[in-house]
Amino acid sequence: MKADLNHDALRRFILKAAGAAALTMHFSFLPQELMASGLKSSRSLKGNSNLENWIQIDERGLVTIFTGKVEFGQGIGTALVQIAADELDVAIEKINLIVPDTDISPDEGYTVGSQSVQLSGMAMRQVSAEVRRILLERAASIFQVPIDKLSVADGVISDGSQKITYGQLISIKGDVVGNYKQVTVAKKAADRKISGRSMGRLDIPCKVFAEGAYLHDMRLPGMLHARVVRPVSQGGRLIAVDITSVIKMPGVKKIIQDGSFLAVVAEREEQAIAAAENLSETAVWSELQDLPDQDSLKFFIMSHPETEREILVDMGQEEISTDTKTYEACYFRPYQAHAPVGPSIGVAHWDNGRLKVWSHTQGPYPLKREISSFLSLPEEKIRVIHKGGSGCYGHNPADDAALEAAIIACNMPGIPIRLQWMRQEEFKWEPYGSAMVMDVRASMNKDGSIENWNYNVHGFPHSSRPSGKGGSLLATRYVSGNRKVTPPRRIPSKTGGLDRNARPYYDFKRQKITKNFIEKSPLRTSALRSLGAYANVFAVESFMDELAHQTGQDPVRFRLRHLKDERAKAVIKKVAEMAEWQEEREASEHMAFGRGIAFSRYKNIGGYLAVCVALNVDSRNGQITVSDIYAAVDCGEIINPDGALNQIEGGLLQALSWTLYEEVNFEIHKIISEDWVTYPILTHDRVPKLHVHLVDMPDAPPLGAGEVAQGPLPAAVANALYQATGKRFRELPIIEQK
Amino acid sequence: MMAKSTINFIVNGSKCECDLPSGTPLLYYLRNDLELNGPKFGCGLGQCGACTILVNGVATRSCITLVEDVSDAEVITLDGLGSREDPHPLQSAFIDQQAAQCGYCMNGMIMTAVGFLAKNSTPTEGEIKEAVSANLCRCGTHQRIIAAIKQGAKGMANES
Ligand code: FES
Ligand code: FES
């Protein structure tokens, strides 16, 4: 492989390599030789509108598909293969998916918001349909028959008497290339044979057999291990450090100090860890007492002087007539952590004038732009390649670790650098889910309907993802040169960040929704699965339950009477049926039982989920045992039902963990949640039975399943606890309050 | 400096001569010297179970086990448990049940279950949950993991 390799030869090479890999593993990585050279020519693969950016077929009929969306265990890779197989009429085994790589994959920005099937999946479907049609046209002209006389089975086109394969058509007439022209209609739902059916995820066997599926498993020749040394306070500055003893420690190759960014590189991983611990002991940092008192965080948020107030909805003045009765409540959600089981990692290699970065980022292209602008290195000199990490759940420190690895790699040209964060770093330096306060007031008509709804949400940014300006990631705050920290992204209110799902999906006569945004969070924050929806739906659905009870109405019927959307009503009715919903409170001698219901449509434009939580509370010790969670979900067309179930089950349990246990603890000068003892999460012995029903909607557009569960779950728990105990739980986490 | 002397043990059926200084956590030897992918670094503190391996058949956390602790012992990691051609019943069960989202916890779940099922081949669901309750999963895959261990237990019983 030479650097002057032309595009076509490069492509053949990819296909050969990918095709061979397809026989054993669908999620292959490009071979090292390709990574090392031939990169310049791949520029022609940029831009998303060419068919060959998405699908390439070789002479053997093997299909390679490309995506910009990353796999993090949510199953997008498998769904894409299913979609392509279905639309192309090719067996799954003949399709190989290339993981996102900024040199060859379409730029699809971030993999966020439960939109991968809508975006990448539907693009794949359209392109597949178009490629199939082009191949059929070629066959029709060879056979001299009209196209509608042809049929395809596993890449073999037939007119009843003659046959030709996709591979043969490619050898005779060349590759299918060119702009996607949007002239082909994809198959009707009823004609799909693979999409819509459960299929084992293609990435799982590789993980079960320990074949090196994770970035953590990557080993490059000559690779060294790095660790970063962090201050005590988030904003601590490095005042002094004595490296003389550390540099002599076994295996230590280099200590990198750039302003307050301090890192060590060693031959072996445990040597890097030991050296970092040693450095941490000798380093002197300034200590900042700049965090609020955790006990009064709610007040801190509500009375913050730099609050930007934005009225999102205002349907007129509230008229408090004598016939209406007014209720109010205030809800709180603390800072919460992504906390993947495997800490974040970045691998970087400055090789022959080009920087290669391997990352479990959600956005390989945005990360590339961020690194480019941070390092003042032209974008074409950077290649970001995705490789899976531990669970993602939003914007975790993957990008931070990638940039730090890149900084270190630039200091050590030619040597691949593996930087893995330690457990304590992962907890203390990740960008948390924002703490939030929601206060709501409503007045009820005497007919029991809601007349006025006045809702305020207060909180911090929900996205500090790489912006491309070079100031979004953690290292910006520590390297020398007074770099400007890029302000967090303002998320448009169509989907919303802090205000995601702040608008209830109900029809109220009058509502007023106000967002109270505080740009500077004392703890760094970014996107945590479902963003503000988790807390907003907690508040909205808890309050709906309060209003129902205050006015003596059944919470299920109360919701139904305020909804117009039939799909919304359908999931609520379904879950009520599944859980054998009943109003009466049950009790035994020591046990109080409760059931709570909640609903939301994610982002008000995504999937619908209604959930019912059944739990009991032991009056002797206050212990809460959640026994069952029922959920009915409508997320439109589903490509892989079992994959969607897996995600929804996971979402429910993660949200249960957030709700019962999770809170980032801090003192005025430092964060104290630093491991699984100081930040406990849900464990197996506390896991309830899950009963999830997917509404079958093959003809409806896909709406995404990954985050639908997060919002309704906490409210259903709090509502069930109310039924069991008669007490309202308005502050999360709940376990702390019993 | 810690003393250096060769430590001998068996990993996945092969003899190893480890001459790392005593005090080195076994996890790094397995991952970085033997290039095994099964045991994962999760916390390094013995809190999550991601690094679990079998030492003489007993599920052990390799992040807090030192190389000298396994002198003369027999170590098995997920890498050596089974293969695509000849999977261990628990590996087949984890695939059948699709008991993974990110799958990062899976090594620990499987290896802990292997150790546990060796002692209790007909466990109740409660006993299974108890056995793996100190293994953390952040993706919420718990229900499938328990189902997979149940299936694996049956599979192992049928094999023996
Ligand atoms: S990595 Fe060993 S227990 Fe967490
Ligand atoms: S599947 Fe991701 S941690 Fe368990």
Side-chain angles (χ1 to χ4, degrees):
Chain A
M1 294 284 291
K2 291 286 170 301
D4 61 357
L5 191 78
N6 66 30
H7 161 212
D8 201 48
L10 171 71
R11 199 182 67 76
R12 298 268 161 231
F13 187 84
I14 295 172
L15 288 177
K16 232 173 100 208
L23 304 173
T24 53
M25 199 206 300
H26 287 268
F27 289 72
S28 67
F29 289 87
L30 295 179
Q32 291 302 323
E33 309 90 273
L34 181 67
M35 291 179 178
S37 61
L39 300 171
K40 276 183 201 141
S41 51
S42 64
R43 184 112 47 102
S44 52
L45 288 168
K46 277 188 181 165
N48 296 353
S49 61
N50 287 345
L51 300 172
E52 68 271 25
N53 292 152
W54 296 90
I55 295 176
Q56 299 176 10
I57 303 176
D58 74 1
E59 292 93 339
R60 294 163 299 172
L62 298 179
V63 179
T64 302
I65 63 174
F66 300 84
T67 176
K69 296 293 181 190
V70 305
E71 174 71 48
F72 40 73
Q74 84 283 38
I76 183 61
T78 305
L80 290 172
V81 170
Q82 285 181 274
I83 291 168
D86 224 343
E87 217 52 57
L88 284 167
D89 284 314
V90 167
I92 292 274
E93 294 70 32
K94 289 196 183 137
I95 299 181
N96 189 62
L97 176 78
I98 299 293
V99 298
D101 172 336
T102 58
D103 271 10
I104 52 174
S105 305
D107 179 356
E108 293 194 82
Y110 289 108
T111 305
V112 295
S114 306
Q115 296 176 74
S116 297
V117 169
Q118 288 105 300
L119 301 174
S120 206
M122 294 304 104
M124 189 64 70
R125 178 173 284 166
Q126 296 299 329
V127 172
S128 301
E130 192 125 315
V131 168
R132 178 181 185 272
R133 184 190 50 82
I134 291 168
L135 290 166
L136 282 173
E137 274 171 2
R138 289 179 178 184
S141 87
I142 292 172
F143 292 166
Q144 295 291 311
V145 297
I147 194 166
D148 57 12
K149 293 277 175 299
L150 300 176
S151 62
V152 194
D154 191 13
V156 183
I157 303 175
S158 163
D159 69 351
S161 55
Q162 327 172 65
K163 282 187 171 141
I164 192 161
T165 66
Y166 284 177
Q168 287 167 327
L169 285 169
I170 298 289
S171 347
I172 300 165
K173 298 216 165 184
D175 298 325
V176 178
V177 292
N179 253 299
Y180 167 60
K181 296 200 182 68
Q182 273 186 305
V183 292
T184 316
V185 179
K187 287 182 182 174
K188 289 199 289 294
D191 296 334
R192 295 183 204 129
K193 295 192 190 78
I194 301 170
S195 299
R197 292 194 168 66
S198 288
M199 178 175 141
R201 262 176 39 214
L202 299 167
D203 57 320
I204 288 183
C206 179
K207 293 170 176 174
V208 167
F209 296 108
E211 290 167 345
Y214 302 91
L215 179 52
H216 303 73
D217 302 328
M218 188 164 178
R219 299 170 192 94
L220 296 171
M223 183 173 82
L224 298 181
H225 294 269
R227 288 295 183 277
V228 174
V229 183
R230 317 260 173 206
V232 177
S233 303
Q234 304 285 300
R237 303 277 101 195
L238 185 58
I239 295 168
V241 60
D242 178 8
I243 64 165
T244 45
S245 65
V246 179
I247 198 79
K248 287 190 219 123
M249 287 178 70
V252 171
K253 293 286 182 197
K254 193 165 186 147
I255 293 170
I256 294 161
Q257 190 205 331
D258 176 359
S260 295
F261 179 78
L262 183 61
V264 58
V265 180
E267 218 164 288
R268 300 183 54 87
E269 191 167 11
E270 68 275 11
Q271 292 169 336
I273 295 169
E277 280 168 2
N278 215 304
L279 267 180
S280 182
E281 277 161 29
T282 63
V284 182
W285 302 90
S286 64
E287 203 176 279
L288 272 74
Q289 306 212 328
D290 58 351
L291 301 184
D293 170 22
Q294 194 187 335
D295 291 336
S296 48
L297 183 57
K298 190 170 156 185
F299 179 75
F300 175 86
I301 293 171
M302 290 191 80
S303 59
H304 201 285
E306 282 158 41
T307 299
E308 297 168 40
R309 201 150 280 130
E310 186 188 341
I311 296 171
L312 304 173
V313 181
D314 191 354
M315 297 164 68
Q317 292 296 306
E318 289 181 88
E319 297 158 29
I320 310 293
S321 73
T322 46
D323 284 349
T324 61
K325 207 163 172 221
T326 302
Y327 303 90
E328 57 192 333
C330 183
Y331 302 87
F332 170 76
R333 173 248 183 136
Y335 288 105
Q336 292 175 318
H338 298 76
V341 170
S344 296
I345 180 170
V347 177
H349 187 193
W350 178 261
D351 181 30
N352 275 326
R354 212 158 177 250
L355 179 67
K356 274 178 282 175
V357 179
W358 290 264
S359 173
H360 51 108
T361 175
Q362 284 182 291
Y365 278 95
L367 175 60
K368 177 173 93 164
R369 293 190 277 270
E370 185 74 11
I371 294 174
S372 155
S373 106
F374 184 97
L375 296 174
S376 303
L377 197 63
E379 273 186 46
E380 55 277 14
K381 288 209 178 280
I382 302 170
R383 177 179 194 180
V384 176
I385 303 153
H386 184 266
K387 185 152 180 165
S390 187
C392 170
Y393 330 123
H395 181 217
N396 63 23
D399 300 286
D400 294 318
L403 174 61
E404 290 172 349
I407 295 171
I408 298 166
C410 289
N411 273 277
M412 304 191 78
I415 300 171
I417 299 293
R418 177 188 192 272
L419 168 67
Q420 188 187 292
W421 281 23
M422 300 302 286
R423 170 50 49 202
Q424 296 85 342
E425 285 176 278
E426 186 77 19
F427 265 115
K428 291 165 94 161
W429 298 91
E430 73 144 273
Y432 304 111
S434 166
M436 290 164 67
V437 178
M438 294 69 57
D439 65 88
V440 52
R441 189 171 73 236
S443 48
M444 306 280 295
N445 260 331
K446 63 171 185 299
D447 73 349
S449 68
I450 295 170
E451 173 88 18
N452 293 305
W453 176 276
N454 191 338
Y455 184 89
N456 271 278
V457 56
H458 310 252
F460 306 106
H462 280 71
S463 176
S464 55
R465 293 178 186 284
S467 61
K469 297 199 182 88
S472 301
L473 297 176
L474 193 60
T476 308
R477 300 166 189 234
Y478 303 100
V479 292
S480 57
N482 271 330
R483 286 171 179 255
K484 234 178 100 138
V485 173
T486 310
R489 196 165 86 83
R490 301 294 172 115
I491 302 170
S493 78
K494 181 170 179 254
T495 54
L498 173 64
D499 53 328
R500 181 165 294 180
N501 282 95
R503 293 167 215 220
Y505 199 62
Y506 299 103
D507 271 305
F508 302 143
K509 222 165 168 192
R510 274 186 289 274
Q511 45 174 304
K512 182 173 175 184
I513 313 288
T514 311
K515 172 165 99 172
N516 302 274
F517 178 73
I518 308 159
E519 191 182 270
K520 283 203 187 79
S521 170
L523 309 187
R524 189 170 69 121
T525 58
S526 195
L528 175 62
R529 194 176 190 177
S530 87
L531 283 61
Y534 170 69
N536 283 316
V537 177
F538 166 58
V540 169
E541 287 297 299
S542 294
F543 198 55
M544 284 297 282
D545 201 75
E546 297 201 25
L547 294 176
H549 283 281
Q550 289 285 2
T551 53
Q553 301 182 68
D554 170 63
V556 170
R557 281 196 294 271
F558 184 65
R559 283 175 171 79
L560 295 176
R561 72 179 284 182
H562 286 97
L563 279 168
K564 283 213 180 101
D565 184 340
E566 291 303 326
R567 287 172 78 176
K569 290 187 195 175
V571 291
I572 293 176
K573 287 181 190 157
K574 180 70 199 175
V575 89
E577 176 197 314
M578 288 164 73
E580 295 172 0
W581 177 256
Q582 60 210 41
E583 267 182 280
E584 309 84 64
R585 202 187 293 177
E586 305 162 38
S588 69
E589 201 183 338
H590 302 296
M591 287 292 181
F593 296 91
R595 272 156 202 259
I597 196 161
F599 154 82
S600 91
R601 179 173 191 195
Y602 184 48
K603 296 187 273 191
N604 289 344
I605 52 173
Y608 304 79
L609 181 138
V611 63
C612 177
V613 165
L615 51 73
N616 55 66
V617 181
D618 188 329
S619 59
R620 290 165 299 185
N621 55 16
Q623 181 160 37
I624 301 166
T625 304
V626 178
S627 59
D628 293 271
I629 299 178
Y630 305 85
V633 192
D634 173 357
C635 42
E637 182 198 342
I638 298 169
I639 308 300
N640 187 357
D642 186 65
L645 272 181
N646 202 347
Q647 274 195 282
I648 293 162
E649 291 165 8
L652 290 167
L653 291 183
Q654 188 173 65
L656 182 66
S657 182
W658 294 349
T659 302
L660 292 179
Y661 311 108
E662 297 185 29
E663 172 167 37
V664 176
N665 291 306
F666 51 90
E667 286 167 3
I668 192 153
H669 67 296
K670 63 171 189 187
I671 287 162
I672 52 179
S673 294
E674 60 169 20
D675 58 16
W676 298 112
V677 172
T678 49
Y679 192 94
I681 62 167
L682 182 72
T683 51
H684 276 290
D685 50 337
R686 315 285 304 155
V687 170
K689 271 206 180 64
L690 304 176
H691 318 260
V692 182
H693 173 82
L694 297 175
V695 178
D696 190 24
M697 287 288 199
D699 292 307
L703 298 173
E707 297 160 294
V708 279
Q710 310 314 111
L713 191 278
V717 171
N719 297 341
L721 277 171
Y722 173 75
Q723 207 190 50
T725 65
K727 194 174 159 213
R728 283 288 167 196
F729 292 83
R730 300 192 182 97
E731 299 200 356
L732 302 176
I734 285 171
I735 210 80
E736 302 288 334
Q737 305 180 3
K738 59 170 197 284
Chain B
M1 283 291 301
M2 302 277 178
K4 241 189 194 184
S5 63
T6 303
I7 302 156
N8 296 298
F9 48 94
I10 295 171
V11 178
N12 297 331
S14 305
K15 280 192 184 137
C16 299
E17 291 178 7
C18 166
D19 48 18
L20 292 174
S22 54
T24 305
L26 180 60
L27 175 65
Y28 301 115
Y29 178 70
L30 298 174
R31 287 193 56 83
N32 298 339
D33 297 78
L34 301 186
E35 304 200 346
L36 297 170
N37 297 317
K40 293 271 178 286
F41 178 89
C43 65
L45 304 165
Q47 296 175 349
C48 74
C51 62
T52 306
I53 56 167
L54 295 174
V55 178
N56 295 332
V58 178
T60 305
R61 300 193 165 189
S62 65
C63 70
I64 48 168
T65 302
L66 308 177
V67 283
E68 63 268 31
D69 296 342
V70 294
S71 181
D72 298 327
E74 190 176 343
V75 170
I76 295 174
T77 72
L78 180 63
D79 314 67
L81 191 66
S83 61
R84 286 192 189 238
E85 297 69 39
D86 183 20
H88 185 277
L90 276 162
Q91 289 174 309
S92 308
F94 270 69
I95 294 175
D96 291 348
Q97 300 294 335
Q98 294 286 293
Q101 285 174 71
C102 79
Y104 202 88
C105 65
M106 190 160 50
N107 169 74
M109 299 295 174
I110 294 179
M111 299 314 284
T112 304
V114 176
F116 163 68
L117 294 174
K119 290 181 289 178
N120 180 353
S121 57
T122 52
T124 63
E125 181 168 314
E127 287 168 339
I128 294 175
K129 284 188 170 184
E130 194 58 43
V132 287
S133 71
N135 284 68
L136 300 178
C137 172
R138 183 56 165 162
C139 295
T141 318
H142 304 77
Q143 181 160 295
R144 288 165 183 256
I145 291 167
I146 300 303
I149 298 174
K150 259 195 207 166
Q151 182 191 325
K154 284 208 191 97
M156 282 167 76
N158 291 343
E159 263 190 5
S160 55

